[in-house]
Structure formats: C-alpha cells, structure tokens
Amino acid sequence: MVGGSAMADTSASTTNAGAEHCDLTPSQRIEAVLMTVDRPLGDRALAEAAGVDGVEASISELNESYESTGRVFRIVRVASGWQVMTLPESAPVLSRLHAQRQQTHLTPAAMETLSIIAYRQPVMRAEIEAIRGVACGEVLRGLLERRMIRIAGRAEELGRPMLYGTTKDFLRVFGLSGIDDLPEVEGLKRKPVRRAASSEQDAEPEASDAEPAVAAEEPKASEQDASVTEGD
C-alpha cells in the first residue's frame, strides 16, 4: 500500500511538473487538446485538460488565426462545450469521404419524427403521430436507443403520457449550441405541453378566480330579498 501511494504521488508530481514546464502558449495547449478529442469539452474541463485559467480569449485568438490563414475549420460551441468543426463549405468533400457511413444515417421517418420533437418539445407521442399521420412507436424506440431523444417527463393529460425531448447528443450531431439555434420552420413552432408536476400550482389560480364571481352575485341576491320585504 505504501509503495502504491508513493508511485501515485510520483506520477502526479511528474504530470504537474510537465504541465508547468510546457513551452506551449495557452492557445496552443487548448488547440492541442481539442484536436485530440471527439466530443465537446466544457469550459472547466477544457481549462483543466489544457492547464490554463480561461479558454474564451484563447479560442477567439485561435479562430481569428484560422480565419486569417484560410483554414476550413473553427472552434465552435456545441452542446454547452467546445469542439473543432469544419466549415459548411467543406461538406461536399466530406460527404464523398464518408459515403460508406450513409447507412448509419437516420431514416426519413426518424428525421421527420426527430424534427417534430425538436421544435415541439416537450411533446407527447399522440401529438407526434397526429402530425405525421402514422404510428411512431418503433421510430421513437430507435431514437431513444441512439440517445437522440429522452423522456422529458409526463404530461398533465389523462393517463399522464410521457413527454419526449432532445438530448445533448442531438445538439452535438447537428452542431447546435442549444435548441434556440434551430432555424425557423413554418408549422413547427414549439408549443410546450404542461407537465404533470405543475398541475397543483395551475389549479390554485382557477379556484381563486371562481371566488370573485360568487362574491359578485351576492349583492344581487340581497337586492331581491330587499324587494320582497318591501312588497310584503
């Protein structure tokens, strides 16, 4: 046990010493880290991996350098993290290179279902099927297995059906930093469904709204009583 601790301490000190004596600039460190990962890294994770205090200034410096030298990639924010991405102009070249991966792409039915979920989330299965006009149970299961969608809760409807929403993997695959980056599409504007968790809070205003209506009718009843008394 003592020997193991000594080895761990020696390894940690060696790593720290290597980081302290690194001749790379902060921008170069960040670039090196991002060039070797296949997923977005958040500010904290990237700073720790590169051994720097902050990342945004260095990323701006790197992107300016890429643009001025005509590079076809940039460091962009994707799914709350940073990742090196190629420019849209390079898509024709890359599509030929990755032609063999076409079979792993989403089917038209899956893309249509995913689009509805992205714009309408959180959304019920019944609403998805009403828009598409066909059952989508198998498609939803496939998207869940690919981690493109998730169960976002339950709706405040009869039977409390499940609500579907997109995931961080969805943002990463489509190069989005958030749902607000989705382009505007006519007919697919988001219409949030009330969650079951908010049912008690929503019920209180309805009860309070009913009380003034009863109070407003009370004077009419008293006026009728007064007129009957006078008549007698």
Side-chain angles (χ1 to χ4, degrees):
M1 293 295 292
V2 175
S5 299
M7 291 178 63
D9 293 341
T10 302
S11 176
S13 61
T14 302
T15 302
N16 293 334
E20 292 175 358
H21 293 86
C22 181
D23 294 331
L24 297 178
T25 65
S27 296
Q28 290 174 325
R29 295 184 184 189
I30 290 174
E31 183 179 44
V33 171
L34 291 178
M35 287 293 185
T36 57
V37 296
D38 59 355
R39 59 185 177 83
L41 289 180
D43 290 12
R44 182 176 179 180
L46 179 55
E48 290 179 352
V52 298
D53 295 330
V55 299
E56 292 195 9
S58 295
I59 288 174
S60 297
E61 178 184 332
L62 287 169
N63 281 332
E64 290 176 2
S65 174
Y66 298 154
E67 184 175 3
S68 63
T69 55
R71 302 296 180 89
V72 295
F73 54 85
R74 300 287 188 273
I75 300 175
V76 298
R77 186 174 286 279
V78 178
S80 301
W82 297 100
Q83 189 171 18
V84 177
M85 303 283 287
T86 56
L87 297 177
E89 291 79 2
S90 61
V93 177
L94 297 179
S95 62
R96 290 196 298 270
L97 177 63
H98 299 287
Q100 296 179 350
R101 299 175 58 186
Q102 292 293 329
Q103 58 184 359
T104 64
H105 289 182
L106 296 174
T107 64
M111 281 296 297
E112 184 178 330
T113 302
L114 186 58
S115 298
I116 295 171
I117 295 173
Y119 281 92
R120 294 291 186 100
Q121 63 182 305
V123 61
M124 298 180 293
R125 172 178 170 176
E127 184 177 355
I128 300 172
E129 294 180 342
I131 295 174
R132 294 196 61 222
V134 295
C136 58
E138 290 296 329
V139 176
L140 289 174
R141 276 190 287 273
L143 291 173
L144 285 168
E145 290 176 358
R146 290 172 176 263
R147 297 186 178 181
M148 300 295 284
I149 63 172
R150 62 186 175 86
I151 305 299
R154 291 186 176 274
E156 187 185 350
E157 302 287 345
L158 182 63
R160 297 183 63 192
M162 291 185 293
L163 295 170
Y164 295 93
T166 54
T167 64
K168 284 189 175 182
D169 282 349
F170 165 80
L171 297 177
R172 179 180 59 80
V173 169
F174 288 93
L176 303 172
S177 61
I179 294 300
D180 292 336
D181 288 345
L182 285 170
E184 289 291 335
V185 177
E186 190 64 28
L188 279 180
K189 294 182 179 179
R190 279 175 283 167
K191 298 179 180 179
V193 179
R194 288 199 305 175
R195 301 171 187 264
S198 61
S199 59
E200 295 181 359
Q201 296 178 354
D202 293 337
E204 291 179 359
E206 294 177 0
S208 61
D209 290 341
E211 292 176 1
V214 175
E217 293 177 356
E218 289 178 355
K220 294 182 180 180
S222 61
E223 290 175 2
Q224 292 178 357
D225 293 341
S227 61
V228 172
T229 303
E230 291 176 359
D232 293 342

